[in-house]
Amino acid sequence: PHAHIPPALSAKATLDEKLQFAFALYDVNGNGRISADEMFDVFRLMSPRNYTDDALQQIVSAFYSALRNTLVCEDADMAQTVPTALRGAFQSCGQNCAGAERFYVHEKIHDRFVAKVLEAATKLRQGWALSQDVDCGAMCMPKHAEYVQSLIDDAVAKGARVLVGGDVREAPPTGQFYPPTVIVDVTHDMRIMKEEVFGPVLAVVKIASDEEAVRLANDCEFGLGSNVFGSRRRALKVGARLEAGMTTVNDFCATYMAQSLPFGGVKESGFDRFAGIEGLRGCCNVKSVVVDGIPLIRTDIPPPLCYPVRRCAFAFCKALSHMFFGLGMAERAMGLTMLVRAVVAPAPKAGKSD
């Protein structure tokens, strides 16, 4: 039995029992984070076959958690950036694996960005997601609202300021709700910068330069999605330095919407990809096939290499290596010369003392 699977489930369990175990594992963790080992154990449980760890690594494509970084450069267009930032943070009540959580905003536009965000955030309506006039629904998983509250409480205790929301008691009284929240003066010694929120929280960090933003964004064990707002050339330059599986310029989640692109992360945000050519190949068993490409020409073993090999066999192989794998035309030409020499004037037969 594996560390996270009860012995009773390791033997014979119904699919319903296995699903209950998977959700119980999520619930016990409390924060919605499942480790790689736990995820593998759940896969073992669901699979009808017994896979080794190496086999699981090859056949399972997954991402575990993510802290989605959004960098806002000083030349960002506020009319485009703010609505997109709000959508990235609060869509699906923040429960979007490719959404936005950590916002690194340049100090020259920080106050204007925050003010524009608050104009909308203070007006967000929360309730049943399918009802009219509702902007944010509820938390999907039990106890997750309490987990988000613990992140906010930790940040406030360490100096952060909540400008709207931030108190689970302000949410609708019935259901698993957490109010849309904007928090500023956030630093990297706070849990909210180290753990996935997966809730309706827009956390803002004031930065002085692109270099600082990249350094802080990369100071994280996760690396799924990222977004950069600014002039096209600048945003592309900044995005290229981010340690993430995906980067969107002046937008969010566009990499997920483009199903021709591979989706996945780096570091602790997972391995492998789905969607795109890379995702399709992950569902395939790759097989290599080689056949003679020119009709009426067949591949035979060269006479010097036929058993028993001739005295020139080693020189012949060495010459072929230079001919086919030389770093330039000069080395390949040298290989051809070595090949002719090996066949025409082979080395003398070695004596017993050689």
Side-chain angles (χ1 to χ4, degrees):
H2 298 280
H4 304 98
I5 301 180
L9 281 179
S10 296
K12 294 182 179 179
T14 65
L15 178 60
D16 183 61
E17 290 172 330
K18 294 176 179 180
L19 289 173
Q20 287 182 14
F21 164 74
F23 280 104
L25 181 64
Y26 187 104
D27 189 36
V28 167
N29 285 347
N31 58 10
R33 291 177 59 182
I34 299 178
S35 69
D37 289 340
E38 291 168 333
M39 189 274 295
F40 279 148
D41 283 346
V42 171
F43 182 83
R44 288 190 185 96
L45 201 59
M46 299 298 178
S47 173
R49 296 180 57 185
N50 292 322
Y51 288 103
T52 64
D53 288 343
D54 289 341
L56 283 175
Q57 185 76 21
Q58 295 176 16
I59 64 176
V60 180
S61 296
F63 58 89
Y64 315 129
S65 298
L67 292 176
R68 282 80 64 188
N69 297 310
T70 297
L71 281 61
V72 183
C73 303
E74 61 183 301
D75 60 353
D77 182 350
M78 287 293 103
Q80 179 189 36
T81 302
V82 172
T84 309
L86 290 162
R87 173 61 66 175
F90 299 125
Q91 179 171 294
S92 301
C93 206
Q95 298 162 110
N96 183 348
C97 61
E101 290 187 353
R102 311 194 304 178
F103 287 79
Y104 297 93
V105 183
H106 197 281
E107 60 186 6
K108 291 184 178 180
I109 60 169
H110 174 274
D111 292 349
R112 185 154 57 99
F113 173 83
V114 172
K116 291 286 187 181
V117 164
L118 288 177
E119 287 180 10
T122 54
K123 301 174 183 177
L124 294 180
R125 301 150 299 181
Q126 192 165 35
W128 184 45
L130 297 182
S131 62
Q132 295 182 347
D133 302 325
V134 166
D135 300 296
C136 287
M139 300 283 93
C140 293
M141 300 304 296
K143 300 183 181 179
H144 197 72
E146 290 82 353
Y147 166 69
V148 176
Q149 185 65 59
S150 72
L151 297 180
I152 296 296
D153 292 343
D154 173 80
V156 171
K158 295 175 179 175
R161 293 184 296 126
V162 173
L163 302 185
V164 64
D167 189 343
V168 69
R169 294 171 297 182
E170 297 178 4
T174 57
Q176 300 171 173
F177 292 97
Y178 193 84
T181 299
V182 177
I183 185 169
V184 297
D185 298 341
V186 179
T187 59
H188 269 238
D189 63 337
M190 301 172 183
R191 287 175 54 202
I192 200 169
M193 287 288 103
K194 302 174 183 177
E195 301 179 21
E196 181 177 31
V197 181
F198 213 65
V201 176
L202 195 159
V204 182
V205 179
K206 183 188 293 187
I207 50 95
S209 65
D210 293 349
E211 289 70 25
E212 182 185 12
V214 170
R215 177 177 59 81
L216 291 175
N218 289 339
D219 180 26
C220 175
E221 63 180 342
F222 302 109
L224 186 60
S226 61
N227 315 291
V228 184
F229 290 87
S231 61
R232 179 185 178 91
R233 183 175 181 180
R234 182 174 183 175
L236 284 171
K237 184 178 179 180
V238 170
R241 298 164 59 193
L242 294 177
E243 297 171 357
M246 301 166 289
T247 297
T248 301
V249 172
N250 292 323
D251 203 341
F252 97 98
C253 207
T255 49
Y256 180 73
M257 299 303 296
Q259 290 296 294
S260 60
L261 294 176
F263 183 99
V266 298
K267 299 192 283 191
E268 291 299 313
S269 285
F271 51 85
D272 217 331
R273 297 293 185 268
F274 72 81
I277 294 175
E278 293 80 0
L280 291 175
R281 285 177 176 166
C283 299
C284 300
N285 292 320
V286 179
K287 182 178 182 179
S288 300
V289 178
V290 177
V291 64
D292 289 328
I294 303 177
L296 304 179
I297 295 180
R298 69 181 190 183
T299 302
D300 288 329
I301 300 297
L305 303 183
C306 288
Y307 288 117
V309 299
R310 298 182 183 179
R311 278 182 286 165
C312 64
F314 181 80
F316 187 87
C317 289
K318 184 177 180 181
L320 288 178
S321 297
H322 283 284
M323 263 185 60
F324 292 121
F325 306 113
L327 297 180
M329 292 303 297
E331 184 178 354
R332 294 181 182 182
M334 180 186 70
L336 178 60
T337 302
M338 293 170 60
L339 185 68
V340 173
R341 187 183 302 122
V343 175
V344 175
K349 186 175 181 179
K352 293 183 179 181
S353 61
D354 293 339

